[in-house]
Amino acid sequence: MHFKKLLALLVSAALMLSLLAGCGNGESAVQALLKLLDGRYPNISIEIDHDLEADLRQAIRKAEAENAGDDAAVIRAALETALGSTITFRYLGDGQQGDTTFDLVFYAGSDPDKAAQAAYSQWNLVFANVPDDGKYDTALAMVETENGVWMLVKATVDKAGTPDKPDKDDENGEDNGQQEPQEPEKDPYTDNGDNSYTINTKDGLQQLVEDLNWPADHTILSADITLDSDVDLQGVDWTPIGTSSRSSYTGTFDGDGHKISGLNATTSSQYSGLFGYIKDATVKHLTLEAPAVSCSSSNGYAGGVAAYMQNSTIDNCQVSGGSISCTDDESTAGGIVGYVHIYDTQTEENVVKNCRVSGVTISAKYSGGVAGTTSGTNSRIENCEVFGCKITSQVSGTNGNAGGIVGSQSWSTTQNCFAHGNTILANGPSGRAGGVVGNDLVGSIIACGSTGNTITATVTPNGSAAGGVAGYTNGVTVTACFSANDTITGPEGDTGPEEDSRAGGVVGYATSTTSNVTECYWSGSLGAAGTSSYGTVTDCYEVGTDDDTGTPVTWSTVAADMGNYWQDNGPDRCPTLKDQ
């Protein structure tokens, strides 16, 4: 029986909701929090800590002083100096007495439910799984800025627990002294027939892979798999399922709301991730916790869910924490998928939708929070959110791209996506960095937002560019998008003078007269596009100024133009993406 761990799930969710609902009244929030937790979470003490709040405020001020705004990396570094830590937060349950750790979550917006979910998606994975015989002291702090809400947790191990120790009630029965009946041990997985399987235990997926003799036998490539349990791949040297277009995964993988933790896909082959290559496939309703995905092959691809997708759908998947990287100078990496590609524009379609990526380090030549590269007129990234990530185009060659949502986009569409609180960096000559898309060729960016990101293209000049929405565009349409308080640093133009800039509040550099920026908005010191850009900029305004009719432009103006997927947070706060 796991009553205490189930209770931990419920209490930590309620904790976040209670805390955030009281943003405007700290005293009432504290009282509600203490009442909620009293006697219901015996091995973790939780309190609101005003000294911790002061430390968080000081870290935020330090970032502001360095003109880093809401840069999570700078704030974390300041907190590390102030608080110190002896273990990584996600390993709190393995800590020894006296160990300390902290974790930081940023939510761009004022919606308490979504802010709670942002923190819950990271912290609950830890709180709900600490040993029941350990004791832990936990302090919380929260600070609102003009861009959103910062939430900080600090934890100290008061008494080390024993991992996987049974609950006392499980050992001794209920209060009447009677031994409670034990549930029968489940089979690792159930064979439903017709190459369909249900995973029943944390070891069931690996057992199925072994029983189907992957990769020597290709039976698993067409299997339909549903999770009925969380999966733990800790200690498993994972072989990505699907190795090429001819040996691709073609089934349906339904996580059914469960998570896979401990994924370690480190390979010298071309495709690395939970799946290597998916084709005519669907992957949905799945969370990956702290994956370690890397690829050292030439022309390599890496993604948390899949390295490469063709004519497939990825829906409602999340990746939280961990790292995804490729080391080759012609490589591609994305938080959800590495490469999204169409071979037949008449019959094929790719859709990545309703996905979230948080706290992930992503690095390759083409790096994106959701996808490294998208290509093809029927390839779409829709309603996705990326926050608190470090996304870097790190190459020794040229033309590296980094984007909050997509690194490099060609003839495809990114729509209703939101990137906030990320560090986005394009290194090397002709590097392009964008809050939403790094480099875009004949694509469309529609109703997307970027806020609190640090966006940098480092090399001058050689075609580099940095923009709040897109770094570099060629024949692209950017419509109803915004950049709010991003820190954008781009190079001077090829001709050298300072005024010939390739950094812009919306687009860094538009190289074609067929590039159009329409009904877009920004805040900050830069113009809509770098001063050396070509293309057309129409009905675009800096928030806080007046439009052509003399009407003040506010963030509510922006929300109205962006459509039903976006939440209007009032005239003084940028819109945020709604839950769909």
Side-chain angles (χ1 to χ4, degrees):
M1 163 175 142
H2 298 282
F3 174 75
K4 291 181 181 176
K5 289 187 178 180
L6 176 60
L7 185 60
L9 287 167
L10 298 175
V11 170
S12 55
L15 161 64
M16 293 299 103
L17 289 169
S18 172
L19 179 59
L20 287 157
C23 285
N25 188 336
E27 185 66 25
S28 63
V30 169
Q31 295 300 321
L33 181 61
L34 293 177
K35 182 177 180 181
L36 173 67
L37 298 176
D38 186 27
R40 302 188 66 184
Y41 209 178
N43 67 329
I44 301 180
S45 65
I46 302 180
E47 62 179 9
I48 308 298
D49 189 327
H50 296 294
D51 290 336
L52 189 65
E53 178 184 330
D55 290 331
L56 178 56
R57 290 188 183 278
Q58 182 62 32
I60 293 171
R61 283 195 291 268
K62 178 177 175 58
E64 292 171 346
E66 296 178 5
N67 294 317
D70 285 319
D71 187 338
V74 175
I75 295 173
R76 283 180 183 274
L79 288 170
E80 183 67 43
T81 300
L83 304 178
S85 60
T86 56
I87 54 173
T88 303
F89 180 71
R90 68 175 179 268
Y91 297 131
L92 175 64
D94 297 329
Q96 301 301 307
Q97 184 173 354
D99 279 340
T100 63
T101 185
F102 71 87
D103 193 48
L104 181 68
V105 172
F106 177 72
Y107 174 72
S110 58
D111 185 327
D113 291 337
K114 290 194 70 177
Q117 182 59 39
Y120 173 75
S121 66
Q122 292 187 203
W123 295 348
N124 182 67
L125 297 172
V126 176
F127 287 150
N129 290 286
V130 297
D132 295 323
D133 61 336
K135 291 185 179 181
Y136 308 88
D137 295 327
T138 305
L140 299 173
M142 181 179 65
V143 172
E144 289 190 64
T145 68
E146 64 179 3
N147 294 323
V149 181
W150 288 98
M151 291 161 285
L152 174 65
V153 60
K154 179 184 178 182
T156 302
V157 181
D158 186 48
K159 175 188 174 185
T162 305
D164 297 326
K165 180 179 177 65
D167 288 349
K168 183 177 179 181
D169 289 343
D170 294 336
E171 296 173 333
N172 300 327
E174 298 293 343
D175 293 341
N176 59 12
Q178 298 299 313
Q179 182 73 29
E180 184 173 317
Q182 299 295 310
E183 293 184 6
E185 185 175 344
K186 293 182 179 179
D187 292 329
Y189 64 87
T190 300
D191 185 343
N192 304 313
D194 296 326
N195 205 21
S196 172
Y197 303 90
T198 300
I199 305 303
N200 301 319
T201 70
K202 67 176 184 177
D203 304 314
L205 181 59
Q206 177 61 16
Q207 188 64 58
L208 176 64
V209 168
E210 293 175 0
D211 289 352
L212 295 184
N213 198 29
W214 169 256
D217 191 331
H218 289 182
T219 303
I220 199 170
L221 293 180
S222 59
D224 293 330
I225 301 170
T226 300
L227 300 187
D228 195 35
S229 169
D230 290 344
V231 170
D232 186 358
L233 295 177
Q234 191 71 37
V236 175
D237 188 9
W238 183 257
T239 300
I241 300 173
T243 57
S244 68
S245 177
R246 293 183 178 181
S247 299
S248 56
Y249 178 73
T250 60
T252 295
F253 190 99
D254 185 354
D256 198 26
H258 293 285
K259 70 177 181 181
I260 295 177
S261 59
L263 173 65
N264 181 18
T266 302
T267 178
S268 58
S269 60
Q270 193 172 14
Y271 306 99
S272 187
L274 179 65
F275 295 92
Y277 198 118
I278 64 173
K279 180 180 178 181
D280 308 324
T282 297
V283 183
K284 60 185 179 180
H285 308 314
L286 176 66
T287 294
L288 297 180
E289 176 194 342
V293 176
S294 64
C295 172
S296 58
S297 169
S298 60
N299 296 302
Y301 306 94
V305 174
Y308 200 106
M309 69 182 289
Q310 177 187 347
N311 196 36
S312 295
T313 296
I314 299 176
D315 182 13
N316 192 25
C317 291
Q318 300 187 33
V319 179
S320 177
S323 63
I324 299 166
S325 65
C326 285
T327 57
D328 183 68
D329 277 350
E330 294 297 328
S331 60
T332 302
I336 298 293
V337 57
Y339 200 106
V340 181
H341 191 56
I342 292 289
Y343 280 92
D344 186 341
T345 59
Q346 300 302 311
T347 62
E348 293 185 344
E349 180 182 40
N350 285 309
V351 181
V352 181
K353 60 183 180 179
N354 305 319
C355 292
R356 170 185 285 173
V357 181
S358 61
V360 183
T361 299
I362 303 166
S363 177
K365 179 176 183 178
Y366 307 111
S367 298
V370 173
T373 298
T374 62
S375 179
T377 53
N378 294 330
S379 289
R380 305 191 309 276
I381 310 294
E382 299 177 346
N383 193 35
C384 294
E385 186 171 3
V386 177
F387 57 94
C389 294
K390 183 176 182 180
I391 304 164
T392 306
S393 169
Q394 187 71 52
V395 295
S396 57
T398 61
N399 299 314
N401 305 313
I405 304 296
V406 179
S408 181
Q409 174 172 284
S410 302
W411 293 279
S412 48
T413 299
T414 301
Q415 185 168 3
N416 290 316
C417 292
F418 189 28
H420 53 98
N422 304 291
T423 299
I424 304 166
L425 172 64
N427 281 323
S430 297
R432 290 89 186 250
V436 177
V437 176
N439 184 81
D440 198 342
L441 174 65
V442 198
S444 297
I445 308 172
I446 305 168
C448 291
S450 168
T451 183
N453 298 300
T454 299
I455 305 164
T456 307
T458 60
V459 176
T460 303
N462 294 328
S464 298
V469 175
Y472 190 99
T473 65
N474 185 347
V476 174
T477 299
V478 183
T479 307
C481 294
F482 75 85
S483 166
N485 299 315
D486 290 317
T487 301
I488 305 166
T489 305
E492 300 168 1
D494 290 330
T495 57
E498 183 177 356
E499 63 270 14
D500 189 14
S501 169
R502 293 192 177 206
V506 179
V507 173
Y509 182 72
T511 188
S512 168
T513 56
T514 59
S515 289
N516 296 301
V517 182
T518 307
E519 294 182 358
C520 290
Y521 304 87
W522 75 98
S523 63
S525 59
L526 299 173
T531 55
S532 59
S533 287
Y534 300 92
T536 302
V537 178
T538 307
D539 294 329
C540 295
Y541 301 99
E542 181 180 357
V543 173
T545 64
D546 293 345
D547 66 16
D548 289 345
T549 68
T551 302
V553 176
T554 70
W555 288 116
S556 290
T557 311
V558 179
D561 276 353
M562 297 191 69
N564 293 331
Y565 279 78
W566 291 85
Q567 175 69 43
D568 183 353
N569 295 312
D572 299 325
R573 287 199 171 209
C574 69
T576 50
L577 198 62
K578 295 178 182 177
D579 285 326
Q580 302 297 322

